[in-house]
Amino acid sequence: MPELKLEGVTKRFKQKEAVKNVSMNLTEGVYGFLGENGAGKTTLLRMLCGVLRPTEGMITCDNVDIRTLDGEYRHMLGYLPQDFGYYPDFTAKRYLNYLAACKALPRETAASKTLEYMELVGLEEHQNQKIKTFSGGMLRRLGIAQALLNEPEILILDEPTSGLDPRERIRFRNIISSLSKDRIVILSTHIVSDVEYIADEIMLMKSGRILCQGRMDSITKAAEGKVWECTVSQQESDRLNDEFAICNLRNVESSVHLRIVAEKCPVKGARPVEPGLEDAYLYYMGGERE
């Protein structure tokens, strides 16, 4: 099992620092990078894939710079970008066989792996269907299959559930979870539930920096005593919404039920509640509202 290590990794584009001084060790398991769009997640993943070079710092695999490993590192890698390329007039089977050839898999191995991974992602019944007829969920599953063809030890997924309906998102999470044994699985997302259920370790990312990292219980612990629920009038709700981060709002007859992230009791009668990952996310992001 390889070990990935990032040491002081920074990436600049002209005057903008997209990733700022990131250091961490990654071994077997699922790692979820959680942050809003523009937080630097995709840039960081592209550096982990070797597509971009860090401006400063180093990424190593088993203590060897991934740039030195070159082809040997790429052989260990499976990558699903947010927007992956495909040939719309290819069938799923032809597409996977083509990519297997690009990855220099022997023909017999390519045929067996194509079938194996189409079955894994639930596309075996659609293997002779043209890709242009696929739904968004089917396309993402095809993307997972292509990333697995070379049996990678490191699997990197960028916004893998973007645009999927809830049922497809659950299916996709289950597939990712099943792949985590004996692999490093790295996924980036801005959807809290994507990492809440499957990530062994969560990294909250904002403005190119890792704000915190750890297991979910340690992430949520910091928000203990800072999450409140209350039922107030519409007028009071409007005032609180302007002043605090509202995690949830629900109209109840003539009143409004609120879940609020705040350092102190935000309004008389509010009661503290156990924080979840969404609450902790808002807390770490400084209470910013969309």
Side-chain angles (χ1 to χ4, degrees):
M1 172 55 58
E3 179 185 24
L4 279 177
K5 185 180 294 185
L6 293 81
E7 300 176 275
V9 171
T10 295
K11 182 63 180 179
R12 296 190 191 92
F13 297 100
K14 295 184 179 180
Q15 301 303 313
K16 180 182 178 181
E17 277 192 326
V19 175
K20 304 173 184 179
N21 194 32
V22 171
S23 298
M24 63 182 65
N25 290 1
L26 306 174
T27 55
E28 178 184 347
V30 179
Y31 296 86
F33 287 83
L34 180 62
E36 61 190 13
N37 292 328
K41 305 185 303 296
T42 292
T43 299
L44 184 58
L45 263 58
R46 285 168 66 88
M47 287 191 287
L48 281 166
C49 289
V51 176
L52 292 176
R53 286 191 174 192
T55 306
E56 295 175 8
M58 183 181 294
I59 302 173
T60 61
C61 181
D62 292 334
N63 297 315
V64 181
D65 193 323
I66 62 172
R67 291 175 294 181
T68 301
L69 290 170
D70 195 22
E72 184 181 348
Y73 180 68
R74 290 197 302 273
H75 181 72
M76 300 167 65
L77 194 68
Y79 179 39
L80 174 59
Q82 189 171 355
D83 298 305
F84 74 97
Y86 59 89
Y87 298 99
D89 286 318
F90 275 25
T91 64
K93 182 178 179 180
R94 182 184 176 193
Y95 173 72
L96 292 179
N97 278 325
Y98 168 73
L99 288 183
C102 291
K103 296 183 180 187
L105 269 66
R107 181 172 295 182
E108 297 78 12
T109 303
S112 64
K113 291 300 175 188
T114 291
L115 180 58
E116 176 184 346
Y117 290 121
M118 279 195 294
E119 289 177 350
L120 175 68
V121 300
L123 289 178
E124 67 276 14
E125 294 181 3
H126 305 279
Q127 59 182 293
N128 295 314
Q129 187 174 327
K130 288 189 176 182
I131 300 173
K132 65 183 179 184
T133 67
F134 279 15
S135 67
M138 292 167 72
L139 281 174
R140 301 312 284 173
R141 284 186 270 148
L142 182 65
I144 275 282
Q146 65 81 24
L148 291 169
L149 283 171
N150 57 325
E151 296 190 327
E153 296 175 86
I154 303 166
L155 184 61
I156 298 179
L157 312 168
D158 191 4
E159 297 283 357
T161 65
S162 178
L164 301 189
D165 63 38
R167 185 174 182 178
E168 280 287 1
R169 184 172 289 124
I170 292 168
R171 179 205 284 261
F172 207 88
R173 288 203 305 259
N174 291 339
I175 291 171
I176 293 169
S177 186
S178 72
L179 297 170
S180 62
K181 185 175 174 59
D182 300 325
R183 277 192 180 94
I184 299 173
V185 180
I186 303 166
L187 66 96
S188 79
T189 185
H190 61 279
I191 301 169
V192 172
S193 59
D194 282 354
V195 297
E196 186 172 14
Y197 296 109
I198 63 171
D200 298 301
E201 193 157 335
I202 298 167
M203 288 79 168
L204 296 187
M205 196 167 183
K206 179 182 178 182
S207 302
R209 297 187 184 278
I210 303 295
L211 297 183
C212 66
Q213 65 183 81
R215 295 188 177 273
M216 194 176 80
D217 55 354
S218 68
I219 298 286
T220 57
K221 188 174 180 62
E224 286 183 358
K226 300 175 178 66
V227 183
W228 311 81
E229 287 190 353
C230 59
T231 302
V232 297
S233 67
Q234 182 64 61
Q235 184 179 3
E236 185 74 345
S237 172
D238 292 341
R239 183 188 70 79
L240 292 169
N241 197 37
D242 289 336
E243 190 173 347
F244 298 101
I246 307 299
C247 200
N248 193 34
L249 180 154
R250 186 175 75 253
N251 289 305
V252 183
E253 297 179 349
S254 59
S255 302
V256 183
H257 184 78
L258 299 175
R259 187 178 180 96
I260 302 172
V261 178
E263 289 286 344
K264 298 179 180 179
C265 182
V267 65
K268 185 178 179 180
R271 63 185 186 280
V273 293
E274 192 74 20
L277 186 57
E278 277 191 343
D279 305 312
Y281 177 80
L282 276 182
Y283 173 71
Y284 278 107
M285 295 298 162
E288 292 184 353
R289 293 178 290 278
E290 292 294 334

